[in-house]
Amino acid sequence: MSGSVKQQLFAPIVEIDRFADGLYRFALNAPFVAQHCAPGQFVNVKVAHENYPLLRRPLSIHDSDGIRRIDLVFRVVGEGTAILAERRVGDELDLIGPLGSPFRIIKDKRALLAGGGVGIPPIHFLFREIQRRELPHFVICGMRNKDEAALAGAIPYETEHYELCTDDGSLGRKGLAIDPLIEQLNAVDPASVAVYCCGPEPMLRAVIRLCNERGVECQVSFEQQMACGFGACIGCSIETKKGYQRVCTEGPVFSASDFE
Amino acid sequence: MEMQAKIDLSVNIGGCTLKNPVITASGTFGYGREFVDFMDIERLGAIAVKGLTMQPRPGNKPPRLVETPSGLINAIGLENVGIKKFIEVKAPYLKQLDTKIIANISGFSPEEYAGMTELLCEAEAADLIEANLSCPNIKHGGIAFGSDPKMMADITAELKRRSAVPVIVKLSPNVTDIAMMARVAEENGADAVSLVNTFLALAIDVEQRRPVLGNVTGGLSGPAIRPIAVRMTWQVAQAVSIPVMGMGGIATARDALEFLIAGACCVAPGTACFVNPAAPVEVLEGIEDYMRRHNMTRLDELIGSLSVESD
Ligand SMILES: Cc1cc2nc3c(=O)[nH]c(=O)nc-3n(C[C@H](O)[C@H](O)[C@H](O)COP(=O)(O)OP(=O)(O)OC[C@H]3O[C@@H](n4cnc5c(N)ncnc54)[C@H](O)[C@@H]3O)c2cc1C
Ligand SMILES: Cc1cc2nc3c(=O)[nH]c(=O)nc-3n(C[C@H](O)[C@H](O)[C@H](O)COP(=O)(O)O)c2cc1C
């Protein structure tokens, strides 16, 4: 499914859903990406036609039908994402993908998935894959409030294998996604589960510490400013125990054991 | 139908013939391989690889990049595998490509430049050597080699003594008189000069009142610097008679034509390759198209054709 294949291509937008203030889901017709991507990978999108903003913006793949369609979900945080949000159905997005190293699904361990905010997209795609393979799992999503529920996409968060947390308690449980994760880990043998996480950096750091302390196998997806997204500029490096590693190539998914 | 005259795009750099004037800018094209999914890299006149140093370098503390209006400030810190590993691991792939390879070297002492040149020549790992003189001379108070005429003269002369292949001196734009620096390189035997390297820059996070980059300062590249780079290329081309290789914000054929018309004989899209990885090939096709439209058959008709006389 995954590999190092990538292309630069123009993908028409087939559907746009503005589901909360500043949150968008774009469905794209991008067969090459849909057929070659795996959960945890991203596409690098040219948002402006001109030179400003100059660099592409990386966005995780939220979903793929494996044939032609991919979904992206993003939050407007600055100029680049604001320009992207002005696109209409039928417009073509200039993108490069699929990029990055995906999550490695550990088949013989129960999967504990945790996503926070716009870190949910890669977790959503991973959930779809794990569900398709009928592997045991538990999914936790954390977000600001009930308006953002669509971040969870197809995750049936009202059922027993799922937990949704909001900062204000307007939907699901009030509080951070890390709390139900700790409860899950408390209830099981650490060797029997694998944690997969993407979210804001403080969440990643907390999950890394938690899993490393307990000896739980864990993969985390990081973000960093990047120029190319395909390994040429060496600009998106982060510090790991193995030295500097590129988020775009060795990552975005890293093993928690690579960090203190 | 009229027969199309064949266009000769070849360029001679110190005895090394490039099949066309489109090359890549060091540090923006990895080791070449990163781009094979996007274009046929053998169509390029030459590939300048990521800057090499004597010892492997881990690079600078992140963040290493920040975007500014139509520009990019980078402080990668010359992260690279080191010259020996380059020769062992990366060069064999590059060598079998049907394009010329420019090894870009950075040293922290004159001895390092000399040593790397010898290693590259012994291994026949490069067709051309480009000396990045924007590095600090550790032994002399950290002044960049390329900002001091005496140091530039010494290094250029030393490189020429050691090198079996043509030597390109890469000029830093962070000097008062870049044309004078180009003349120093020429007088000391450089086969060509390339310009510009990045402009020393600083971006500040105003909320934190801290530098954005881990390294505090970095080098500005991209479309934002292009008009300055064109002006410098024009000044240098008038000051020297060796070939001038132009770069600085080239993203399209139109951009590249400015440099050629200003007097450059080669053009290198740099930062543009991060955004549009097929940019070099598009630039090449655009130059050919332009020459056809203007009935030009040789690159000489284009290079340095800027007319500043009033009619
Ligand atoms: C591998 C990878 C995958 C990503 N996937 C997604 C995704 O699926 N959905 C999504 O919405 N975003 C995702 N991001 C983040 C996204 O790329 C950035 O939000 C985007 O580049 C910001 O561009 P901008 O021009 O709008 O903001 P900029 O002008 O670049 O930044 C504006 C401000 O927002 C801050 N900022 C930057 N990124 C973020 C962020 N992620 N969250 C909050 N503030 C930020 C900046 O520090 C700055 O202060 C991903 C990033 C990476 C590296
Ligand atoms: C990320 C990055 C890394 C670079 N690394 C090198 C290098 O190792 N050696 C060098 O001589 N120039 C290096 N440069 C400078 C470029 O080769 C080029 O001179 C400069 O970026 C101007 O061209 P541009 O505006 O098209 O990028 C680097 C530039 C960038 C953006």
Side-chain angles (χ1 to χ4, degrees):
Chain A
M1 194 172 177
S2 85
S4 59
V5 287
K6 54 186 176 292
Q7 265 183 19
Q8 180 180 359
L9 48 93
F10 291 88
I13 302 172
V14 292
E15 202 178 293
I16 293 180
D17 179 18
R18 179 177 181 276
F19 58 88
D21 197 25
L23 275 173
Y24 294 79
R25 183 180 56 81
F26 280 13
L28 310 177
N29 185 7
F32 181 85
V33 180
Q35 288 162 26
H36 295 95
C37 67
Q41 289 192 295
F42 63 97
V43 293
N44 214 358
V45 182
K46 179 96 178 85
V47 292
H49 298 295
E50 303 300 323
N51 286 329
Y52 187 73
L54 182 64
L55 301 176
R56 291 171 181 269
R57 295 296 189 259
L59 294 175
S60 299
I61 299 165
H62 176 81
D63 208 351
S64 162
D65 68 1
I67 303 163
R68 65 178 70 86
R69 174 175 152 157
I70 61 166
D71 283 18
L72 306 176
V73 169
F74 66 93
R75 187 192 302 282
V76 173
V77 296
E79 282 173 287
T81 41
I83 292 170
L84 193 60
E86 286 164 14
R87 295 296 166 82
R88 296 287 165 260
V89 169
D91 289 353
E92 290 194 326
L93 280 193
D94 171 351
L95 60 86
I96 296 175
L99 298 169
S101 301
F103 285 108
R104 286 161 287 110
I105 297 174
I106 317 287
K107 290 188 201 70
D108 50 1
K109 293 191 179 186
R110 181 158 168 267
L112 287 181
L113 280 59
V118 284
I120 293 173
I123 293 299
H124 177 266
F125 188 11
L126 181 63
F127 152 76
R128 297 278 272 181
E129 184 60 23
I130 281 177
Q131 190 190 44
R132 196 182 63 75
R133 296 200 203 172
E134 299 179 346
L135 299 172
H137 61 275
F138 189 88
V139 187
I140 305 158
C141 291
M143 56 192 68
R144 292 177 186 171
N145 54 52
K146 66 174 184 345
D147 296 341
E148 300 189 353
L151 276 171
I155 300 172
Y157 52 82
E158 279 159 331
T159 56
E160 61 178 325
H161 296 299
Y162 310 92
E163 180 97 56
L164 194 144
C165 307
T166 50
D167 295 344
D168 65 358
S170 55
L171 185 68
R173 174 173 170 166
K174 185 175 189 318
L176 299 175
I178 189 106
D179 301 330
L181 183 63
I182 293 173
E183 286 164 19
Q184 286 291 320
L185 289 176
N186 283 343
V188 295
D189 168 11
S192 68
V193 292
V195 170
Y196 308 83
C197 177
C198 184
E201 186 149 343
M203 175 179 178
L204 297 184
R205 296 286 171 193
V207 169
I208 288 169
R209 218 176 307 118
L210 182 69
C211 291
N212 286 351
E213 270 167 19
R214 299 191 180 203
V216 173
E217 182 157 0
C218 170
Q219 295 166 46
V220 285
S221 179
F222 268 87
E223 286 186 7
Q224 178 68 283
Q225 273 271 6
M226 47 183 72
C228 67
F230 51 87
C233 72
I234 329 185
C236 62
S237 301
I238 57 167
E239 217 166 339
T240 75
K241 282 191 199 163
K242 298 179 190 157
Y244 291 128
Q245 303 261 294
R246 295 166 296 184
V247 167
C248 73
T249 305
E250 287 80 37
V253 178
F254 293 93
S255 172
S257 60
D258 289 344
F259 301 89
E260 296 296 339
Chain B
M1 225 175 83
E2 203 183 327
M3 271 283 284
Q4 284 274 353
K6 180 123 179 61
I7 298 178
D8 180 8
L9 286 171
S10 67
V11 181
N12 184 315
I13 308 288
C16 176
T17 304
L18 315 194
K19 61 187 160 200
N20 67 62
V22 181
I23 62 177
T24 63
S26 173
T28 63
F29 208 69
Y31 296 104
R33 237 180 178 148
E34 292 84 343
F35 286 79
V36 295
D37 287 334
F38 306 112
M39 70 170 132
D40 176 3
I41 61 176
E42 293 188 317
R43 287 183 66 188
L44 302 176
I47 292 173
V49 295
K50 171 78 198 139
L52 298 163
T53 52
M54 192 56 124
Q55 304 302 331
R57 282 172 60 84
N60 283 334
K61 192 169 142 259
R64 295 175 171 186
L65 299 172
V66 56
E67 186 175 343
T68 55
S70 302
L72 168 68
I73 307 179
N74 90 81
I76 308 298
L78 288 170
E79 175 173 340
N80 79 102
V81 295
I83 192 96
K84 297 207 175 91
K85 192 128 183 234
F86 169 78
I87 289 171
E88 235 169 78
V89 181
K90 310 279 182 184
Y93 165 76
L94 292 164
K95 246 190 208 174
Q96 49 87 39
L97 293 174
D98 178 23
T99 183
K100 302 293 181 197
I101 301 305
I102 304 175
N104 177 279
I105 59 171
S106 292
F108 296 91
S109 68
E111 294 74 31
E112 282 194 350
Y113 281 99
M116 280 189 277
T117 300
E118 284 187 340
L119 288 173
L120 286 167
C121 292
E122 257 166 45
E124 295 180 9
D127 300 295
L128 299 134
I129 291 177
E130 179 178 50
N132 172 10
L133 298 185
S134 297
C135 288
N137 183 347
I138 303 282
K139 287 189 191 151
H140 287 89
I143 298 169
F145 290 103
S147 60
D148 180 86
K150 173 82 174 66
M151 290 198 291
M152 176 183 267
D154 291 349
I155 292 209
T156 308
E158 182 65 9
L159 283 178
K160 274 306 287 178
R161 264 195 296 280
R162 309 274 180 136
S163 184
V165 299
V167 170
I168 306 160
V169 170
K170 185 157 181 178
L171 303 176
S172 164
N174 304 308
V175 295
T176 313
D177 186 351
I178 198 166
M180 185 267 280
M181 298 303 285
R183 271 195 304 270
V184 172
E186 180 179 40
E187 282 158 12
N188 288 278
D191 295 287
V193 288
S194 57
L195 72 154
V196 294
N197 212 317
T198 54
F199 289 79
L200 197 57
L202 171 63
I204 295 172
D205 178 335
V206 296
E207 293 303 323
Q208 317 264 353
R209 283 180 265 154
R210 300 203 28 101
V212 177
L213 296 178
N215 186 55
V216 184
T217 59
L220 179 65
S221 65
I225 70 169
R226 197 186 68 230
I228 317 179
V230 171
R231 183 267 295 173
M232 288 181 159
T233 298
W234 178 61
Q235 289 178 324
V236 165
Q238 286 174 300
V240 299
S241 50
I242 51 176
V244 176
M245 309 167 88
M247 62 195 81
I250 298 175
T252 65
R254 199 217 66 85
D255 302 342
L257 284 160
E258 280 198 62
F259 284 82
L260 293 168
I261 293 165
C265 67
C266 287
V267 283
T271 300
C273 297
F274 297 150
V275 183
N276 176 16
V281 164
E282 290 173 15
V283 166
L284 174 60
E285 287 170 356
I287 293 171
E288 280 175 310
D289 184 52
Y290 177 91
M291 290 177 67
R292 223 171 269 127
R293 278 194 290 116
H294 291 262
N295 296 316
M296 295 177 176
T297 54
R298 284 174 307 111
L299 214 49
D300 296 348
E301 297 169 69
L302 186 57
I303 296 171
S305 58
L306 180 69
S307 159
V308 292
E309 316 287 293
S310 51
D311 298 315

